[in-house]
Amino acid sequence: LAGAGTQTAGLAMGGETGSLQAATEEYDGATWAAGGNLGTARNALAGCGLQTAGLAFSGYTTANTAVTESYNGTSWSPGGNMATARRTLAGCGTQTAGLGFGGYTTTRVTSTEEYDGSVWTAGGSLPTAKRSLAGCGTQTAGLSFGGNTPTIVGTTEEYDGSAWTAGGTLNIARDNFA
């Protein structure tokens, strides 16, 4: 399951209920309602953006995927694929300035990719390869925290648009959160 949006205009997409999901739900500050389905059902994906300008990328189908989809508040449309197919990555930013980082291919990765609304390009690498991490912020002021290296960690890294640097440590090391 991935998410995006704000407190009164949230977006949840994908996930798993025993089978992979393409469902999207929109939150208005009080209740959830069905939105348009993803084109590719998957779990372990990342998301960013707003309810009316969302982004869903990578994840797991029957294998890691690099698929990117853009949401306009009603329906999803294909976007440019990530260079590295992966799952359990984190994301932040907007639909036209997104950031995807970390994750798992056949091993944990350090790679970061930046999205301009149509194409992903390489960004600065995380200092440590990790999966099942969380992220927030923007493409030029991003935050990566927690994850699995394979031990569960509480490390934090800050992204300035080109490089990651160490930040403060979480009080409790953890992974698989958002």
Side-chain angles (χ1 to χ4, degrees):
L1 178 68
T6 66
Q7 185 182 41
T8 58
L11 191 62
M13 58 280 207
E16 185 174 352
T17 61
S19 61
L20 297 175
Q21 297 296 302
T24 298
E25 294 191 41
E26 300 174 354
Y27 188 68
D28 65 7
T31 59
W32 289 94
N37 283 348
L38 287 164
T40 302
R42 56 200 146 146
N43 68 4
L45 67 159
C48 66
L50 301 170
Q51 189 181 81
T52 56
L55 197 63
F57 46 97
S58 278
Y60 186 81
T61 57
T62 57
N64 293 333
T65 183
V67 170
T68 298
E69 298 181 56
S70 297
Y71 193 64
N72 64 9
T74 304
S75 61
W76 292 93
S77 58
N81 286 348
M82 293 190 85
T84 302
R86 60 180 108 179
R87 65 181 185 255
T88 64
L89 70 160
C92 67
T94 67
Q95 190 179 67
T96 57
L99 196 62
F101 44 93
Y104 186 83
T105 57
T106 57
T107 185
R108 290 159 191 82
V109 296
T110 60
S111 62
T112 297
E113 295 184 44
E114 300 177 359
Y115 193 65
D116 66 5
S118 59
V119 176
W120 290 94
T121 57
S125 294
L126 287 165
T128 303
K130 55 183 170 173
R131 65 172 176 85
S132 304
L133 63 163
C136 65
T138 66
Q139 192 181 76
T140 57
L143 200 60
S144 160
F145 45 98
N148 182 299
T149 66
T151 59
I152 297 172
V153 297
T155 56
T156 299
E157 297 83 25
E158 301 170 0
Y159 194 68
D160 65 6
S162 61
W164 293 97
T165 56
T169 303
L170 288 168
N171 292 323
I172 301 170
R174 59 193 121 165
D175 65 359
N176 289 308
F177 65 117

